[in-house]
Amino acid sequence: MNWRSKSFLGAPEGAMARSFYKSMGYTDADLEKPVIAVVNTWNTVCPGQYNLRSVAEAVKEGIRAAGGMPVEFGTIGPCDGIAQGHEGMHYILPSREIIAASIELMVEAHRLDGMVLLGSCDKVVPGLLMAAARLNLPTILVNGGPMYPGEYRGRHISGNEVHIALGALRAGKISSEEFKEIENCACPTPGSCTMMGTANTMCCLAEALGLSLPGSATIPAIASQRLQVAQEAGRRSVDLVLKGIRARDIITKESLENAIRVGLAIGGSTNFVLHLLALAHEAGIDLSIDDFDRLSQETPYIASLMTASEYDMIDFHQAGGVPAVMNQLLPLLHGACLTVNGKTVAENVQGVKIKNSEVIRTLDNPFLPTGGLAVLKGNLAPLSAICKPAAIKKERWYVRGRAKVFNSEEELVQAIHAGRIQRGDMLVVRYEGPKGGPGMREMYTAMEMLAGYELAEYVYVLTDGRFSGSNFGGFVGHISPEAAEGGPLALVEDGDLITVDIPHRTLTLEVSQEELERRKQAWRKPAPKIRSGFLGLYAQLVKSAHYGAVLGF
């Protein structure tokens, strides 16, 4: 019994703790077993977390069956979709830090031996993974699974279709009856949104890392297999404790590179760059944004999913999911990396076949020869910026146009509805970065409105904020240094020429250095938008998106 809970539960001095546990029905026999935390983000606010109550029960059954003592506690699980387009989005990226810290506090205070982490959504899964790396205990992650797609007039749709429809409604392209029909059918079941947004990207990358059971990331939320794999995860968590296999035995530089390659191959959300940088930071692993572009140049894009294509996450699961992608990528992967089922990556994916070649292609017949994301640099992004070529038409990979400048997402949305946006515009949205937002809001609503007005594929949105994995059209985000730090984005003026050159990985403001220096001298840092509460503290501590928007204690 070398697990850490026994350092006090098994000693006479642990009598009070044993007594407290017994008050809830635990027995002396239970208290001789490894104590496994079931960390549950269940709530009835977020559909991605809605089914986790039943998932948690299955996990606990597995823990008990394997000889462990399950103890369950909850933490927050916010919904990016409900928080979109208003003040609530300021709080979403910061929630990642609260999730990680709350798990740290509970697990360390009670000296628990291992963890099963339950979550599905955009900042929830990254927060859980960060806690795993920070605590370095035996850990396994179980997601709740994607929702089924909506059916609208013969085609599959996802939740983001509602915002596109809102733009179309405002533009007079659809009726209010059609709009209501889309609203009512877009999300027919609980689960994470059925496109390759940040939620499903991060669930897939948790599996690619080796912290989730093979094939589990894409099991639909309402499938019976979801509960079966949860029970198996509970059993595996006890085995990890007994064998002393810790999170950082699985989270390594090599497994992070595997996860990055999978994210690039599936056209994952631009946000996964932030989250894997933050995970590496927690694990003490040297990973930089340049690693993402290096791997992107070497990794083909082989799985095309909504919104880059018509295929949803259920299609992806039925086509073979993450194991089929990793089987194709195996020549590029570190196949010897350990996973939570005790096998290596190579052992887990060997022989897995593609079941639908329209969804997943072979390595020698990719959708694109390079990865779904690209890192841009230049005088407008001296550190870095992120774009998603997988969601941008190839003829729009090189664009030159004149700037229209907005100091918030709301200003851009108002301009869209006022008819002030024209094809060819380079729409600069600044003071939305980690510090300036604060909280680095997504420009999701603006992008979906542009799609509704049939403008998304004819303009570029350039921002120090973020984008949703569901966005498509022309967009570059995470521009660093951000405007609030005095980055060049703060110096752009209406009418300036800007060039986006994805093939050459550059983002250029065509203004002389002398003129930029003059503007810099005249620039004054804006007052913080929010001074109080956690966001006030966050704005003081958060680092640049270039470093994963981690807190810089």
Side-chain angles (χ1 to χ4, degrees), residues 82-277:
I82 295 174
Q84 288 289 355
H86 53 77
E87 290 296 304
M89 182 47 66
H90 289 291
Y91 294 83
I92 290 294
L93 182 59
S95 74
R96 184 187 73 175
E97 316 305 318
I98 295 296
I99 292 166
S102 67
I103 297 168
E104 174 194 5
L105 295 172
M106 278 294 288
V107 170
E108 291 292 71
H110 301 98
R111 310 307 291 163
L112 307 178
D113 299 310
M115 303 187 294
V116 181
L117 307 173
L118 308 183
S120 299
C121 286
D122 296 41
K123 309 309 169 294
V124 178
V125 174
L128 298 176
L129 293 173
M130 289 166 65
R134 185 180 301 179
L135 292 168
N136 194 28
L137 293 173
T139 303
I140 188 165
L141 187 142
V142 181
N143 66 301
M147 67 172 64
Y148 269 77
E151 291 272 354
Y152 177 69
R153 301 190 178 184
R155 64 186 179 93
H156 285 182
I157 64 172
S158 65
N160 73 298
E161 191 84 17
V162 177
H163 268 100
I164 296 173
L166 178 57
L169 177 69
R170 293 285 184 86
K173 299 180 185 298
I174 63 171
S175 67
S176 57
E177 291 76 17
E178 289 173 297
F179 177 70
K180 192 67 175 181
E181 185 181 352
I182 292 170
E183 175 188 330
N184 288 342
C185 73
C187 300
T189 74
S192 50
C193 298
T194 194
M195 69 273 187
M196 187 53 79
T198 306
N200 288 316
T201 298
M202 292 309 301
C203 292
C204 289
L205 299 197
E207 181 180 328
L209 274 168
L211 279 178
S212 295
L213 290 172
S216 65
T218 55
I219 298 170
I222 61 174
S224 60
Q225 192 184 0
R226 174 56 56 196
L227 300 181
Q228 293 162 2
V229 80
Q231 191 174 124
E232 174 60 19
R235 288 192 291 269
R236 291 300 312 167
S237 70
V238 178
D239 190 57
L240 292 173
V241 173
L242 296 178
K243 291 180 178 176
I245 299 173
R246 297 171 177 266
R248 291 191 204 173
D249 297 325
I250 294 170
I251 303 169
T252 64
K253 178 66 177 283
E254 290 75 21
S255 71
L256 281 167
E257 289 192 348
N258 286 348
I260 293 169
R261 285 194 189 274
V262 169
L264 295 166
I266 64 178
S269 166
T270 50
N271 291 310
F272 89 73
V273 177
L274 284 176
H275 300 321
L276 290 190
L277 286 171

Side-chain angles (χ1 to χ4, degrees), residues 379-380 488 491-492 496 509-522:
N379 72 336
L380 190 53
L491 310 180
V492 182
D496 287 347
L509 175 62
E510 298 185 27
V511 174
S512 70
Q513 189 59 41
E514 292 77 16
E515 173 62 13
L516 290 177
E517 288 295 335
R518 185 193 67 77
R519 295 181 188 180
K520 180 74 172 178
Q521 293 299 316

